[in-house]
Amino acid sequence: MARTCRGRAAKVRLWRWRRNPLRRRSDVVGAWLLLGAWCLAAAAGTAAGTATAHAVEQNLDSRRAERHAVPAVLTQDAPVATSQLAGAGDQVWAKVRWTAADGSIRTSLARVDPGEKTGARTQVWLDRNGKLVPAPVPSAEAEFQVVALGTTTAVGAGAAVLSVGWVVRGRLDRRRMEQWDREWAQFGQQWGRRTG
């Protein structure tokens, strides 16, 4: 709502809570609904983001706890990386050999540094059953995943709550406008002419 002040429109703050002869009950309900939606969005977003971050962190920690590194030896030359864009973290597939917990010799394909020669030492990661698995996520990347997924979930949950609030408020506004139309039609008849 705006009022003129020295020729310019001045915005009246919190007009829906102030006493005003034009204020309707639906104005007050709409204002409280919007305030409630913002508060609920903040609370739901915070709770959902925190829960997601905690769940992701627990999942990554349990994966890290289930895996252990064992020394291995390359049984073939590792291919040289062909990509010019390959960074230091890029690895290639090569055949490796390691000794399992029961003393048996195992071989399989594993990710190793490019260009390594036969007989070079490396390490592979195994799960509890002695099965070859990828290396656990490094702690810096794990932290990034926790923060990114927690933030995304928080924003999504907050946006969902606000969307519902805006839909309900939009219906309330439509209802208010219909009420205004009916009342203006009644006043128009009292004045002897139609308005609008």
Side-chain angles (χ1 to χ4, degrees), residues 16 30 168-178:
R16 290 184 175 158
V168 172
R169 186 166 182 247
R171 288 184 180 173
L172 196 62
D173 284 345
R174 244 179 291 147
R175 186 172 159 213
R176 185 175 28 239
M177 288 299 137
E178 290 169 0

Side-chain angles (χ1 to χ4, degrees), residues 72-81 92 94-97 112-122:
V73 176
L74 269 73
T75 59
Q76 72 179 50
D77 290 345
V80 177
V92 295
K95 198 172 224 180
V96 296
R97 179 182 67 235
V112 297
D113 293 331
E116 293 283 337
K117 300 294 180 195
T118 302
R121 294 192 178 275
T122 187

Side-chain angles (χ1 to χ4, degrees), residues 7 11 46-47 54 58 69 81 86 90 92 107 113-114 122 131 140 144 157 162 173 182 190 194:
K11 191 163 184 154
T46 301
H54 183 66
Q58 277 187 329
D90 290 343
V92 295
T107 59
D113 293 331
T122 187
K131 193 174 181 181
F144 174 76
L162 283 179
D173 284 345
R182 284 192 304 271
Q190 289 176 359
R194 300 287 295 173

Side-chain angles (χ1 to χ4, degrees), residues 14-64:
L14 304 174
W15 70 271
R16 290 184 175 158
W17 279 286
R18 293 182 180 188
R19 292 202 180 276
N20 179 341
L22 296 178
R23 182 185 75 179
R24 300 169 182 270
R25 184 171 186 216
S26 60
D27 293 328
V28 176
V29 170
W32 281 109
L33 177 72
L34 189 59
L35 179 65
W38 277 104
C39 292
L40 186 60
T46 301
T50 302
T52 300
H54 183 66
V56 169
E57 189 173 25
Q58 277 187 329
N59 186 336
L60 292 172
D61 286 346
S62 69
R63 282 187 188 178
R64 202 174 293 124

